[in-house]
Amino acid sequence: MSVGGQDICFSANGIAVTSQRPTLVLVHGAGGSKLDWPQSWRSVIEATAPLGLPTSTAVLPGQGGQSLHSYPVLALDLPGHGGSDGQSLSDIDSYGAVVIRFIEALGLENVCLVGHSMGVGVVLSAVLQSSVRISSLCLIAGAARMPVTPELLKGLKNQTEDTVAAVARSCWHKSTPVHFVKITRQRMMSAGQNVLLDDFTVCSKLDLRAKLPALQVPTLILAAHEDRMVNTAEIEAMAQAMPMAQLQIFYTCGHFLHVEIASGLARELVTFLDAQD
């Protein structure tokens, strides 16, 4: 679909869009794509298939997301990511503007914007730019500020493969099968060095904390206590600063908790959405 002159790739789960129920729009993280979302969130077909991973991969215990199947779910690739055209962008507001134009181009109303990691910053930027069509937010494993060390940025530039391998390990809980880490590493490497550098630089510059008190949008924040990528204290501070936010912290999972415990997060999200009716 053309958005601002660029072709933006997205998937849809096939549930009809109506203004009477929220449409979920999923926004991925740094160096990612729509495939980073659980497959059972993105599709009502093969609901028990591995979530966002090849069908030959065994699912993790607790994976699933069938409770979301009464809601339309759209998952997009940001510019320069996955199947979308163009180049990766250099600031969070440019990504946020793409999301707003995407929503407008499809004529969506009553949107629940769902972001993961860098996608949380993108979602926050989007709703700060225009909240007319957005009825709620779900923020997963991300915050209004996500510091990135200079060493990580330098590693992505000079030792890309080794640095990506370390990041991929940090994305998952230590108990997660190594195959999931391998898939994450492969996907990040396929995104390319320029995209990774752009995205992690965007995260390093992100700071929307001063704007949070103005957000009058019902918000569900989901975090992992053992997240090794985003400091839980930053997420807790974000939750406290947002007037209409509620925070749920999960244990024995990591930065990719939306895949590791997809069923649990889907249930939390459905309960949250039902409460907005």
Side-chain angles (χ1 to χ4, degrees), residues 3-231:
V3 176
Q6 287 185 324
D7 284 339
I8 296 297
C9 182
F10 71 99
S11 66
N13 70 343
I15 301 299
V17 173
T18 72
S19 60
Q20 282 68 48
R21 62 188 169 200
T23 295
L24 280 64
V25 174
L26 312 182
V27 183
H28 62 77
S33 75
K34 61 182 176 296
L35 297 181
D36 291 334
W37 293 99
Q39 183 171 330
S40 69
W41 289 26
R42 293 182 286 113
S43 174
V44 297
I45 301 171
E46 296 187 272
T48 59
L51 308 184
L53 297 172
T55 54
S56 61
T57 306
V59 294
L60 288 174
Q63 283 191 343
Q66 293 88 331
S67 52
L68 285 173
H69 289 174
S70 60
Y71 294 95
V73 178
L74 310 179
L76 76 153
D77 290 333
L78 293 170
H81 298 71
S84 290
D85 287 346
Q87 303 295 319
S88 50
L89 305 177
S90 60
D91 64 270
I92 206 72
D93 287 340
S94 295
Y95 278 133
V98 169
V99 172
I100 292 299
R101 290 197 296 269
F102 174 80
I103 292 170
E104 292 174 345
L106 288 174
L108 300 177
E109 299 178 357
N110 194 7
V111 171
C112 176
L113 272 183
V114 184
H116 172 250
S117 193
M118 183 187 80
V120 167
V122 176
V123 163
L124 288 172
S125 174
V127 73
L128 285 165
Q129 291 180 51
S130 177
S131 62
V132 174
R133 298 172 182 265
I134 300 168
S135 56
S136 59
L137 307 175
C138 178
L139 311 178
I140 304 172
R145 183 180 69 162
M146 291 184 283
V148 177
T149 66
E151 291 76 18
L152 177 55
L153 295 176
K154 183 177 180 181
L156 287 172
K157 183 176 181 180
N158 299 323
Q159 295 178 301
T160 307
E161 192 166 351
D162 289 344
T163 303
V164 166
V167 169
R169 287 193 297 271
S170 296
C171 283
W172 297 90
H173 188 265
K174 60 185 179 181
S175 65
T176 301
V178 68
H179 185 74
F180 289 77
V181 178
K182 180 180 177 181
I183 293 295
T184 299
R185 183 175 72 247
Q186 290 173 343
R187 287 182 176 167
M188 291 183 69
M189 288 301 298
S190 69
Q193 183 190 60
N194 289 340
V195 169
L196 294 171
L197 269 174
D198 282 347
D199 285 356
F200 278 89
T201 300
V202 164
C203 289
S204 73
K205 298 186 295 184
L206 175 67
D207 191 351
L208 297 173
R209 291 175 297 170
K211 300 180 180 180
L212 295 178
L215 283 176
Q216 300 292 327
V217 181
T219 302
L220 176 64
I221 301 174
L222 305 172
H225 182 263
E226 295 162 83
D227 192 331
R228 293 182 284 173
M229 291 297 294
V230 177
N231 191 325

